[in-house]
């Protein structure tokens, strides 16, 4: 669910979730769970608003601090 939340937040902000993930974890192999989650995202128009602070909280709660840092840079 955390991955889907991240992917949809990116879509809602016209950002590429795969690119942002690669920035946070440049030495990791392709994230297949993220690719799978992208198939479940909806268009920006169809999506509910996802609060940026909520996303950061969820990423931090699951230990994705590097990703939370990169996302926070995009929020700024």
């Amino acid at each position: 669910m955390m991955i889907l939340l991240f992917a949809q937040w990116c879509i809602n902000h016209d950002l590429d979730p795969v690119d942002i993930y690669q920035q946070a974890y440049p030495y990791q192999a392709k994230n297949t769970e993220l690719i799978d989650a992208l198939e479940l995202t909806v268009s920006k128009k169809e999506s509910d608003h996802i609060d940026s602070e909520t996303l950061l909280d969820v990423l931090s709660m699951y230990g994705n601090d590097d990703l939370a840092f990169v996302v926070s840079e995009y929020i700024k």
Side-chain angles (χ1 to χ4, degrees):
M1 195 51 105
M2 182 259 324
I3 297 169
L4 181 57
L5 182 72
F6 163 71
Q8 189 63 58
W9 181 88
C10 289
I11 299 297
N12 292 357
H13 290 87
D14 300 317
L15 300 169
D16 180 357
V18 174
D19 181 52
I20 293 174
Y21 188 86
Q22 287 281 328
Q23 290 177 40
Y25 304 108
Y27 301 109
Q28 270 191 9
K30 192 175 193 179
N31 186 328
T32 56
E33 292 174 349
L34 177 56
I35 302 302
D36 292 344
L38 286 173
E39 294 178 16
L40 302 174
T41 60
V42 295
S43 72
K44 184 177 178 177
K45 290 180 182 181
E46 296 174 292
S47 175
D48 290 331
H49 172 74
I50 299 172
D51 183 70
S52 296
E53 285 301 315
T54 300
L55 175 63
L56 291 175
D57 289 344
V58 170
L59 291 174
S60 293
M61 183 172 53
Y62 283 93
N64 287 302
D65 297 324
D66 292 338
L67 186 55
F69 177 78
V70 173
V71 167
S72 70
E73 292 298 309
Y74 278 94
I75 292 170
K76 290 179 186 177

